[in-house]
Each structure stands twice: as C-alpha cells, then as structure tokens.
Amino acid sequence: AQKVTQAQTEISVVEKEDVTLDCVYETRDTTYYLFWYKQPPSGELVFLIRRNSFDEQNEISGRYSWNFQKSTSSFNFTITASQVVDSAVYFCALSDGGNFNKFYFGSGTKLNVKP
Amino acid sequence: EAGVTQFPSHSVIEKGQTVTLRCDPISGHDNLYWYRRVMGKEIKFLLHFVKESKQDESGMPNNRFLAERTGGTYSTLKVQPAELEDSGVYFCASSQDQGEDVEAFFGQGTRLTVV
C-alpha cells in the first residue's frame, strides 16, 4: 500500500532561517512519482515539484531544493533563507504509474515564518 | 484562463441534511478528481472521472456520497444524509490527461462543517 508520512505537524522559524520539511514514503511499486504541493492561506494546492522514481538527482529552484533518497525512502524539501510569504501548509504526495494524478498525500506540515 | 473553481467555499449544515458541492474544472480537462482532508489529517483520494465516466471510485467512504459529472463538464458531490465525520475540506482537481508529466490543478476547496 502507498503511504506518505510527514512527521512534522508544524514548524516555526524566523525569517531568513533555513528550514527542511521531511517526507518519508512507502510503496512496493518500482515506478512511482513524488510531489510537493504548497497550500497558502487562500486554500488552493499549488504544485511545486514532481520527481519520478528513476531520477534521484537533487533539484534546486531558487530558494527551494529537494533531496530525493531512495535508500531511505525520503523526499525532503528545504527552503533557504525563508521569507514570510513561505508561510503555508506543505504537502508531500506519492502517485504510482497506474494513475499519475491519483495522489497519496501526507498529513501536511504547517510552516510559520515570522518576521 | 480560469482555474478549477469550487462552490461553495464554505458550507455549514446540520447532521442529517443534504449538501451538494460543485467543481468546475479547467475547460478541456477530461480528468477530474475529488479529494478530502478531514480534521487536519492527510488529503485522501475519493474518486476520478474521465469525462463523464467514473474511472476509480475506490476512495468513496460510503453510499451517502454520490458523485456525478453529467456531460463531462462540471461535477457535483452530494452528501446525503450528512454526518459529523463528513466535516472537512473537499478539493477538486483536473488534468488534461492521465499521463506522466501532466499536471493536475487544484481548486481552493470547499470547507464543509456538519454540526
């Protein structure tokens, strides 16, 4: 069965601090996809990144970076020099090759960035 | 171009009443998904439409929930009769296709409170 665990329920940091959001997943599939979504106060889920199981390369996009490690079944998300606008709930998700957009989400991590 | 739109944004109903949630996907998107987040837990898949057909309804919790997508455009999710445990945020997402690298776009969700 597919499962995603985000052990950090809520994190508070001060602006400009770096913060890492943890995501651990479980799946028996060899082909799968990992995602991060951001839910700002407005409510919609905003796509941040997608990774397939064959691509363990880490990715950096501006202040955001992602560390995918199959050996530990983790797909962690780091925000460097956090800003108040980063305050949101962040969801990690998994989908398998059968239905790309059928997601198994974690419970989310609420990030509070204080000025 | 309009995004995924959900109506209403909030709904408060009494236990035993009926509520209908509506989702308008992005125009031209054949795939429509319903998800639900209950009590700060993980977001869970409910069902998936391809045009007007239900491709996967494995996540529907029970027969009090009825989803329809007549004409393959907008979709409705009816809860009848509503129970307290149905409270949560209901998300709708749409995508053009099911293949890899086809992004799903989420609406802002409908917050349902059953009292």
Side-chain angles (χ1 to χ4, degrees), chain A residues 34-50:
Chain A
L34 296 165
F35 303 78
W36 276 95
Y37 278 85
K38 174 182 180 179
Q39 185 187 30
S42 53
E44 75 279 15
L45 294 171
V46 178
F47 169 83
L48 295 178
I49 190 172
R50 168 184 57 245

PDB file of all heavy atoms in Angstrom, chain A residues 34-50:
ATOM      1  N   LEU A  34       6.851  11.353  -6.966  1.00  0.00           N
ATOM      2  CA  LEU A  34       6.778  12.110  -5.717  1.00  0.00           C
ATOM      3  C   LEU A  34       6.543  13.573  -6.019  1.00  0.00           C
ATOM      4  O   LEU A  34       7.077  14.110  -7.006  1.00  0.00           O
ATOM      5  CB  LEU A  34       8.075  11.938  -4.926  1.00  0.00           C
ATOM      6  CG  LEU A  34       8.351  10.504  -4.453  1.00  0.00           C
ATOM      7  CD1 LEU A  34       9.792  10.351  -4.027  1.00  0.00           C
ATOM      8  CD2 LEU A  34       7.400  10.129  -3.334  1.00  0.00           C
ATOM      9  N   PHE A  35       5.775  14.218  -5.177  1.00  0.00           N
ATOM     10  CA  PHE A  35       5.372  15.599  -5.401  1.00  0.00           C
ATOM     11  C   PHE A  35       5.456  16.393  -4.101  1.00  0.00           C
ATOM     12  O   PHE A  35       5.358  15.839  -3.005  1.00  0.00           O
ATOM     13  CB  PHE A  35       3.908  15.680  -5.862  1.00  0.00           C
ATOM     14  CG  PHE A  35       3.573  14.903  -7.100  1.00  0.00           C
ATOM     15  CD1 PHE A  35       3.399  13.532  -7.046  1.00  0.00           C
ATOM     16  CD2 PHE A  35       3.404  15.553  -8.301  1.00  0.00           C
ATOM     17  CE1 PHE A  35       3.066  12.806  -8.184  1.00  0.00           C
ATOM     18  CE2 PHE A  35       3.070  14.842  -9.446  1.00  0.00           C
ATOM     19  CZ  PHE A  35       2.901  13.472  -9.380  1.00  0.00           C
ATOM     20  N   TRP A  36       5.593  17.672  -4.258  1.00  0.00           N
ATOM     21  CA  TRP A  36       5.361  18.611  -3.164  1.00  0.00           C
ATOM     22  C   TRP A  36       4.353  19.647  -3.654  1.00  0.00           C
ATOM     23  O   TRP A  36       4.477  20.155  -4.786  1.00  0.00           O
ATOM     24  CB  TRP A  36       6.644  19.310  -2.725  1.00  0.00           C
ATOM     25  CG  TRP A  36       7.455  18.506  -1.753  1.00  0.00           C
ATOM     26  CD1 TRP A  36       8.498  17.678  -2.017  1.00  0.00           C
ATOM     27  CD2 TRP A  36       7.290  18.483  -0.325  1.00  0.00           C
ATOM     28  NE1 TRP A  36       8.983  17.134  -0.849  1.00  0.00           N
ATOM     29  CE2 TRP A  36       8.276  17.605   0.193  1.00  0.00           C
ATOM     30  CE3 TRP A  36       6.418  19.126   0.566  1.00  0.00           C
ATOM     31  CZ2 TRP A  36       8.394  17.350   1.560  1.00  0.00           C
ATOM     32  CZ3 TRP A  36       6.538  18.869   1.904  1.00  0.00           C
ATOM     33  CH2 TRP A  36       7.517  17.995   2.401  1.00  0.00           C
ATOM     34  N   TYR A  37       3.375  19.922  -2.769  1.00  0.00           N
ATOM     35  CA  TYR A  37       2.393  20.961  -3.025  1.00  0.00           C
ATOM     36  C   TYR A  37       2.406  21.955  -1.869  1.00  0.00           C
ATOM     37  O   TYR A  37       2.646  21.586  -0.721  1.00  0.00           O
ATOM     38  CB  TYR A  37       0.977  20.374  -3.149  1.00  0.00           C
ATOM     39  CG  TYR A  37       0.656  19.810  -4.502  1.00  0.00           C
ATOM     40  CD1 TYR A  37       0.996  18.507  -4.841  1.00  0.00           C
ATOM     41  CD2 TYR A  37      -0.006  20.594  -5.447  1.00  0.00           C
ATOM     42  CE1 TYR A  37       0.697  17.999  -6.098  1.00  0.00           C
ATOM     43  CE2 TYR A  37      -0.317  20.092  -6.697  1.00  0.00           C
ATOM     44  CZ  TYR A  37       0.038  18.799  -7.014  1.00  0.00           C
ATOM     45  OH  TYR A  37      -0.270  18.295  -8.254  1.00  0.00           O
ATOM     46  N   LYS A  38       2.107  23.200  -2.187  1.00  0.00           N
ATOM     47  CA  LYS A  38       2.014  24.261  -1.184  1.00  0.00           C
ATOM     48  C   LYS A  38       0.559  24.709  -1.097  1.00  0.00           C
ATOM     49  O   LYS A  38      -0.088  24.914  -2.128  1.00  0.00           O
ATOM     50  CB  LYS A  38       2.895  25.440  -1.595  1.00  0.00           C
ATOM     51  CG  LYS A  38       2.776  26.673  -0.705  1.00  0.00           C
ATOM     52  CD  LYS A  38       3.665  27.803  -1.232  1.00  0.00           C
ATOM     53  CE  LYS A  38       3.556  29.054  -0.362  1.00  0.00           C
ATOM     54  NZ  LYS A  38       4.437  30.151  -0.866  1.00  0.00           N
ATOM     55  N   GLN A  39       0.061  24.851   0.122  1.00  0.00           N
ATOM     56  CA  GLN A  39      -1.285  25.365   0.320  1.00  0.00           C
ATOM     57  C   GLN A  39      -1.193  26.687   1.078  1.00  0.00           C
ATOM     58  O   GLN A  39      -1.072  26.709   2.298  1.00  0.00           O
ATOM     59  CB  GLN A  39      -2.171  24.387   1.092  1.00  0.00           C
ATOM     60  CG  GLN A  39      -3.618  24.861   1.209  1.00  0.00           C
ATOM     61  CD  GLN A  39      -4.453  23.992   2.097  1.00  0.00           C
ATOM     62  OE1 GLN A  39      -3.964  23.386   3.045  1.00  0.00           O
ATOM     63  NE2 GLN A  39      -5.745  23.908   1.800  1.00  0.00           N
ATOM     64  N   PRO A  40      -1.232  27.797   0.357  1.00  0.00           N
ATOM     65  CA  PRO A  40      -1.201  29.095   1.032  1.00  0.00           C
ATOM     66  C   PRO A  40      -2.539  29.358   1.719  1.00  0.00           C
ATOM     67  O   PRO A  40      -3.473  28.571   1.567  1.00  0.00           O
ATOM     68  CB  PRO A  40      -0.966  30.065  -0.142  1.00  0.00           C
ATOM     69  CG  PRO A  40      -1.530  29.366  -1.331  1.00  0.00           C
ATOM     70  CD  PRO A  40      -1.333  27.892  -1.100  1.00  0.00           C
ATOM     71  N   PRO A  41      -2.632  30.449   2.470  1.00  0.00           N
ATOM     72  CA  PRO A  41      -3.890  30.760   3.171  1.00  0.00           C
ATOM     73  C   PRO A  41      -5.110  30.844   2.260  1.00  0.00           C
ATOM     74  O   PRO A  41      -6.236  30.627   2.712  1.00  0.00           O
ATOM     75  CB  PRO A  41      -3.581  32.113   3.818  1.00  0.00           C
ATOM     76  CG  PRO A  41      -2.107  32.080   4.034  1.00  0.00           C
ATOM     77  CD  PRO A  41      -1.545  31.349   2.847  1.00  0.00           C
ATOM     78  N   SER A  42      -4.919  31.126   0.991  1.00  0.00           N
ATOM     79  CA  SER A  42      -6.053  31.196   0.068  1.00  0.00           C
ATOM     80  C   SER A  42      -6.697  29.835  -0.188  1.00  0.00           C
ATOM     81  O   SER A  42      -7.817  29.762  -0.679  1.00  0.00           O
ATOM     82  CB  SER A  42      -5.616  31.820  -1.254  1.00  0.00           C
ATOM     83  OG  SER A  42      -4.492  31.143  -1.765  1.00  0.00           O
ATOM     84  N   GLY A  43      -5.999  28.760   0.121  1.00  0.00           N
ATOM     85  CA  GLY A  43      -6.625  27.445   0.120  1.00  0.00           C
ATOM     86  C   GLY A  43      -6.271  26.488  -0.991  1.00  0.00           C
ATOM     87  O   GLY A  43      -6.315  25.278  -0.793  1.00  0.00           O
ATOM     88  N   GLU A  44      -5.921  27.005  -2.165  1.00  0.00           N
ATOM     89  CA  GLU A  44      -5.676  26.058  -3.264  1.00  0.00           C
ATOM     90  C   GLU A  44      -4.325  25.369  -3.083  1.00  0.00           C
ATOM     91  O   GLU A  44      -3.443  25.854  -2.398  1.00  0.00           O
ATOM     92  CB  GLU A  44      -5.716  26.785  -4.616  1.00  0.00           C
ATOM     93  CG  GLU A  44      -4.503  27.632  -4.935  1.00  0.00           C
ATOM     94  CD  GLU A  44      -4.526  28.994  -4.270  1.00  0.00           C
ATOM     95  OE1 GLU A  44      -5.337  29.195  -3.340  1.00  0.00           O
ATOM     96  OE2 GLU A  44      -3.728  29.850  -4.669  1.00  0.00           O
ATOM     97  N   LEU A  45      -4.199  24.220  -3.685  1.00  0.00           N
ATOM     98  CA  LEU A  45      -2.935  23.482  -3.651  1.00  0.00           C
ATOM     99  C   LEU A  45      -2.125  23.887  -4.880  1.00  0.00           C
ATOM    100  O   LEU A  45      -2.582  23.758  -6.012  1.00  0.00           O
ATOM    101  CB  LEU A  45      -3.184  21.978  -3.652  1.00  0.00           C
ATOM    102  CG  LEU A  45      -3.870  21.426  -2.403  1.00  0.00           C
ATOM    103  CD1 LEU A  45      -4.265  19.979  -2.612  1.00  0.00           C
ATOM    104  CD2 LEU A  45      -2.937  21.543  -1.208  1.00  0.00           C
ATOM    105  N   VAL A  46      -0.913  24.334  -4.627  1.00  0.00           N
ATOM    106  CA  VAL A  46      -0.053  24.818  -5.694  1.00  0.00           C
ATOM    107  C   VAL A  46       1.084  23.833  -5.905  1.00  0.00           C
ATOM    108  O   VAL A  46       1.824  23.515  -4.966  1.00  0.00           O
ATOM    109  CB  VAL A  46       0.512  26.212  -5.351  1.00  0.00           C
ATOM    110  CG1 VAL A  46       1.453  26.687  -6.454  1.00  0.00           C
ATOM    111  CG2 VAL A  46      -0.624  27.208  -5.137  1.00  0.00           C
ATOM    112  N   PHE A  47       1.227  23.378  -7.121  1.00  0.00           N
ATOM    113  CA  PHE A  47       2.267  22.415  -7.468  1.00  0.00           C
ATOM    114  C   PHE A  47       3.646  23.063  -7.326  1.00  0.00           C
ATOM    115  O   PHE A  47       3.870  24.192  -7.778  1.00  0.00           O
ATOM    116  CB  PHE A  47       2.044  21.959  -8.914  1.00  0.00           C
ATOM    117  CG  PHE A  47       3.159  21.170  -9.522  1.00  0.00           C
ATOM    118  CD1 PHE A  47       3.265  19.817  -9.282  1.00  0.00           C
ATOM    119  CD2 PHE A  47       4.105  21.782 -10.331  1.00  0.00           C
ATOM    120  CE1 PHE A  47       4.300  19.077  -9.852  1.00  0.00           C
ATOM    121  CE2 PHE A  47       5.132  21.058 -10.901  1.00  0.00           C
ATOM    122  CZ  PHE A  47       5.226  19.699 -10.664  1.00  0.00           C
ATOM    123  N   LEU A  48       4.578  22.320  -6.704  1.00  0.00           N
ATOM    124  CA  LEU A  48       5.947  22.801  -6.581  1.00  0.00           C
ATOM    125  C   LEU A  48       6.927  21.971  -7.389  1.00  0.00           C
ATOM    126  O   LEU A  48       7.769  22.516  -8.109  1.00  0.00           O
ATOM    127  CB  LEU A  48       6.378  22.799  -5.102  1.00  0.00           C
ATOM    128  CG  LEU A  48       5.644  23.749  -4.165  1.00  0.00           C
ATOM    129  CD1 LEU A  48       6.171  23.583  -2.740  1.00  0.00           C
ATOM    130  CD2 LEU A  48       5.790  25.192  -4.630  1.00  0.00           C
ATOM    131  N   ILE A  49       6.848  20.657  -7.225  1.00  0.00           N
ATOM    132  CA  ILE A  49       7.818  19.809  -7.908  1.00  0.00           C
ATOM    133  C   ILE A  49       7.273  18.404  -8.074  1.00  0.00           C
ATOM    134  O   ILE A  49       6.422  17.961  -7.301  1.00  0.00           O
ATOM    135  CB  ILE A  49       9.161  19.742  -7.134  1.00  0.00           C
ATOM    136  CG1 ILE A  49      10.221  19.056  -7.987  1.00  0.00           C
ATOM    137  CG2 ILE A  49       8.970  19.028  -5.798  1.00  0.00           C
ATOM    138  CD1 ILE A  49      11.619  19.110  -7.407  1.00  0.00           C
ATOM    139  N   ARG A  50       7.786  17.729  -9.086  1.00  0.00           N
ATOM    140  CA  ARG A  50       7.495  16.314  -9.324  1.00  0.00           C
ATOM    141  C   ARG A  50       8.813  15.611  -9.599  1.00  0.00           C
ATOM    142  O   ARG A  50       9.699  16.153 -10.266  1.00  0.00           O
ATOM    143  CB  ARG A  50       6.570  16.186 -10.521  1.00  0.00           C
ATOM    144  CG  ARG A  50       6.408  14.776 -11.064  1.00  0.00           C
ATOM    145  CD  ARG A  50       5.552  14.774 -12.323  1.00  0.00           C
ATOM    146  NE  ARG A  50       6.108  15.627 -13.346  1.00  0.00           N
ATOM    147  CZ  ARG A  50       5.500  16.733 -13.788  1.00  0.00           C
ATOM    148  NH1 ARG A  50       4.356  17.120 -13.271  1.00  0.00           N
ATOM    149  NH2 ARG A  50       6.058  17.450 -14.735  1.00  0.00           N
TER     150      ARG A  50
END
